[in-house]
Amino acid sequence: MAHIFNICLKNGEFSYNWKCAYLVLIPKAGKPDASETPKARPICLINELGKTFERVLAERIFLWQMDNSGSDLSNNQFGFRKNRSTCDALLLIKRITSSAVKNEGLAFIVSLDISNAFNSIPWRVIREAFRRKSFPP
């Protein structure tokens, strides 16, 4: 498998067969109105080879980012980071706000959620960002 993955990496290819996915709809919480279409969260499950290759790619990107300060990986980024979770982000917010209140100060939190933000970015923009940051081909 390592040999096949290395060929795919060298050629910049992700096999079409590995991209085939099963669509699973996970119902969202709450009772839908009888006249409404039930709300569901779509999840695409790719096969084992595709998932394994995806993890190889993610690991290589992660290792490159750790070794290259030019990747501009913010210390305050918690998503898509090893050993960081939503709980870590919430604990940081709690620490900052508790410190502000303890010192008789104020703390404001501004939150922004862009629906489908990552899925809405055109691939050409992602590829250009990779080139600008000198990601290896």
Side-chain angles (χ1 to χ4, degrees):
M1 287 311 309
H3 178 68
I4 292 170
F5 288 168
N6 284 327
I7 291 171
C8 291
L9 289 167
K10 182 179 178 183
N11 295 336
E13 296 176 358
F14 195 115
S15 172
Y16 176 80
N17 291 333
W18 298 349
K19 294 179 193 178
C20 294
Y22 295 102
L23 176 64
V24 178
L25 299 175
I26 310 292
K28 290 186 177 180
K31 288 187 174 182
D33 192 352
S35 63
E36 277 186 37
T37 304
K39 304 237 184 294
R41 183 174 314 278
I43 305 290
C44 288
L45 305 174
I46 62 175
N47 69 34
E48 292 85 3
L49 288 174
K51 195 65 178 171
T52 303
F53 189 56
E54 184 181 83
R55 288 186 181 172
V56 167
L57 290 171
E59 182 67 17
R60 287 183 180 213
I61 290 170
F62 172 76
L63 291 173
W64 182 87
Q65 286 178 312
M66 294 297 101
D67 291 340
N68 292 277
S69 59
S71 70
D72 293 334
L73 197 58
S74 171
N75 199 33
N76 291 320
Q77 179 175 332
F78 290 86
F80 305 103
R81 296 281 303 268
K82 281 190 175 184
N83 303 317
R84 291 192 179 198
S85 68
T86 305
C87 293
D88 295 317
L90 292 172
L91 287 170
L92 176 61
I93 290 170
K94 180 180 177 185
R95 189 169 57 244
I96 291 169
T97 55
S98 296
S99 175
V101 170
K102 182 180 173 184
N103 295 322
E104 298 180 14
L106 296 173
F108 290 92
I109 297 175
V110 177
S111 177
L112 176 64
D113 182 13
I114 301 173
S115 180
N116 287 317
F118 183 77
N119 297 333
S120 302
I121 301 172
W123 279 105
R124 63 178 169 71
V125 173
I126 295 171
R127 284 190 292 271
E128 177 55 33
F130 279 160
R131 278 191 289 277
R132 199 174 54 252
K133 299 289 182 182
S134 300
F135 268 76

